[in-house]
Amino acid sequence: MPKIFDTLKKLEPIYKVIYKIFLTLCKLFLIADILVTSWVVLARHVPAIPAPNWGEEMILTLMAYMAVLSASLAIRRNAHIRMTTFDRYLPKKVIPYLDLFSDLCVLALAIVMIAAGLPYAMRLPGTYISMTWLPKFWQYFPVPLAGIAMVFFEIERIYIDFCHMYGDFSDIDRIAEETRIRVDDFATRKEAK
């Protein structure tokens, strides 16, 4: 295997920490989203509870952060919906190359999310309607933030693709175990080799 993969192997503890940070953020956003949503719904039905005027905008913002960050986490776990219908009909040696192509396309999308999303979020004037102290930047920042996370996790996926190509499954099994991936897919590929 090329030398760069030895470097990527050494970065594994950083991947674990970043994954846990983003996972914790998603959990916190979900908890906050549920609490604010409950407050808004209760305030609509119970006259004694004051309704927060910022509630709906906050709910949408938290949901946007949670959705795109959890999508980037799915990259590391290889949990995205993918088309594998034709995999059993294709030659086994072609599949790792198709996986690599797919991951390179997702990497390109992530770069576009950063390159287009960050300037767009930064040049937005104004603030939230109900939270005048909060710039609109934070409403659109989830897109470039998710792009950064996707690039980070796609590099690891591409490393795994190269492991498939070179027939080295030890790292794949370890990463699968750490991120609780179902290893059925990897087991079938091992048997095919």
Side-chain angles (χ1 to χ4, degrees):
M1 296 252 297
K3 293 281 185 194
I4 191 164
F5 294 124
D6 293 335
T7 307
L8 287 174
K9 207 181 275 192
K10 291 175 188 171
L11 294 176
E12 185 62 33
I14 296 171
Y15 277 101
K16 286 182 194 177
V17 170
I18 299 293
Y19 181 83
K20 287 180 183 177
I21 289 170
F22 279 116
L23 184 63
T24 303
L25 281 173
C26 285
K27 288 177 183 180
L28 292 173
F29 290 145
L30 177 63
I31 291 168
D33 208 19
I34 291 170
L35 290 174
V36 174
T37 303
S38 301
W39 184 4
V40 169
V41 170
L42 280 174
R44 286 182 184 165
H45 298 289
V46 180
I49 300 175
N53 62 346
W54 47 265
E56 291 185 30
E57 280 187 313
M58 183 60 72
I59 290 167
L60 292 173
T61 301
L62 290 170
M63 196 173 299
Y65 276 91
M66 187 177 51
V68 294
L69 289 180
S70 61
S72 68
L73 294 176
I75 289 173
R76 181 157 200 249
R77 292 182 18 245
N78 202 24
H80 277 289
I81 296 172
R82 1 177 263 212
M83 186 67 125
T84 58
T85 305
F86 299 111
D87 283 3
R88 65 187 107 163
Y89 302 112
L90 294 171
K92 300 298 179 198
K93 293 186 183 236
V94 172
I95 295 171
Y97 294 98
L98 291 175
D99 289 343
L100 177 62
F101 176 72
S102 169
D103 286 329
L104 289 173
C105 289
V106 173
L107 181 63
L109 170 68
I111 291 169
V112 168
M113 289 172 68
I114 297 167
L118 191 58
Y120 183 77
M122 292 181 78
R123 72 172 173 258
L124 276 175
T127 61
Y128 280 74
I129 295 169
S130 61
M131 298 177 285
T132 55
W133 52 271
L134 192 60
K136 275 255 192 222
F137 167 82
W138 295 106
Q139 190 173 17
Y140 292 91
F141 183 62
V143 173
L145 180 63
I148 293 167
M150 287 170 68
V151 165
F152 189 74
F153 292 128
E154 268 306 324
I155 291 170
E156 185 180 43
R157 293 293 333 149
I158 291 169
Y159 165 68
I160 290 172
D161 292 337
F162 276 105
C163 287
H164 279 153
M165 289 180 209
Y166 287 100
D168 180 10
F169 291 94
S170 59
D171 286 335
I172 297 170
D173 291 338
R174 181 180 43 75
I175 292 168
E177 183 65 33
E178 290 167 0
T179 57
R180 290 171 288 187
I181 301 171
R182 286 187 34 213
V183 290
D184 300 339
D185 185 37
F186 299 131
T188 24
R189 290 182 181 185
K190 269 188 195 176
E191 292 167 7
K193 294 268 179 185

